[in-house]
Amino acid sequence: MWKKVIAAVLLISLLTVAIVQAVNKQTKEPEPASQTAASQKGPAVGSMAPDFELKTLTGETVKLSNLKGKKVMLNFWATWCPPCKAEMPDMEKFHQEVGDEVTILAVNIDPQLDVQAFVDEYKITFPIPLDTEDAVNEEYKVLSIPTTYFIDSKGIMQHKFVGSMKYKDMKEQVGKLK
């Protein structure tokens, strides 16, 4: 007899929990689709670029907000990425041409790999900040690499380029910056 009573109590308890959870799921308001999409896309073009501070491959510290007054090309890349490898020679050529007029920050998202060997192989001379905690990559919601943000001298993101860039793309996008 006691076994039947205990079994009935357990069964009623489980049904109650299931009903409460089902009701709670139905009463929760879903996040608007536009808000969900925006949160997955990262910072919007036309907004202030999120600030960050990272150590470069050479040990220097670079802070984005310290670059106000300069045009910035903020690139996210990895050593194993074929499109990243394809765009690096053009980025170096562009860097050599523009000099101090534009700051190129090529944020590496796989610093556990041999970034120095990559830099040596491609003879890169612009700064390579290392995102060791994956914090900047997360902040900018980079889903595909390479991804490049073009930031004007006021710190406003003016364009986002996803994929491998050619020299002409870099020149065109930087030419639009103020």
Side-chain angles (χ1 to χ4, degrees):
M1 170 87 171
W2 283 104
K3 288 182 182 179
K4 287 182 181 179
V5 171
I6 292 173
V9 170
L10 282 174
L11 184 60
I12 292 170
S13 298
L14 287 173
L15 283 172
T16 304
V17 169
I19 290 169
V20 168
Q21 287 183 345
V23 169
N24 279 343
K25 274 188 177 179
Q26 288 177 353
T27 58
K28 275 189 181 177
E29 286 191 32
E31 189 176 351
S34 60
Q35 195 174 14
T36 302
S39 67
Q40 292 174 350
K41 290 182 181 177
V45 169
S47 67
M48 185 66 74
D51 196 18
F52 63 85
E53 185 173 318
L54 293 173
K55 292 266 187 209
T56 66
L57 191 58
T58 59
E60 299 170 43
T61 299
V62 64
K63 186 171 182 174
L64 185 62
S65 59
N66 289 344
L67 298 173
K68 274 195 181 167
K70 291 185 165 241
K71 299 173 186 177
V72 177
M73 190 169 106
L74 177 62
N75 176 268
F76 291 88
W77 68 282
T79 58
W80 50 264
C81 163
C84 301
K85 292 176 182 180
E87 78 178 355
M88 283 298 170
D90 282 352
M91 283 178 69
E92 181 59 31
K93 177 181 175 185
F94 184 70
H95 173 66
Q96 293 299 323
E97 180 185 297
V98 297
D100 291 339
E101 182 183 326
V102 178
T103 300
I104 297 175
L105 295 177
V107 177
N108 176 266
I109 64 168
D110 66 351
Q112 71 279 8
L113 299 179
D114 194 355
V115 180
Q116 186 63 58
F118 184 97
V119 167
D120 293 344
E121 179 182 345
Y122 287 88
K123 297 176 178 55
I124 297 170
T125 60
F126 47 83
I128 307 291
L130 303 173
D131 193 7
T132 56
E133 303 295 321
D134 206 33
V136 180
N137 183 33
E138 286 291 321
E139 176 78 24
Y140 280 78
K141 305 269 190 259
V142 176
L143 299 176
S144 177
I145 55 172
T147 294
T148 305
Y149 289 92
F150 292 88
I151 304 168
D152 69 17
S153 59
K154 294 180 183 174
I156 307 293
M157 293 188 297
Q158 296 297 333
H159 185 70
K160 178 181 178 181
F161 193 105
V162 178
S164 183
M165 289 187 300
K166 299 290 184 201
Y167 173 82
K168 67 176 183 58
D169 300 320
M170 297 172 205
K171 194 167 181 155
E172 177 184 331
Q173 293 306 320
V174 168
K176 294 177 185 177
L177 297 178
K178 295 178 184 176

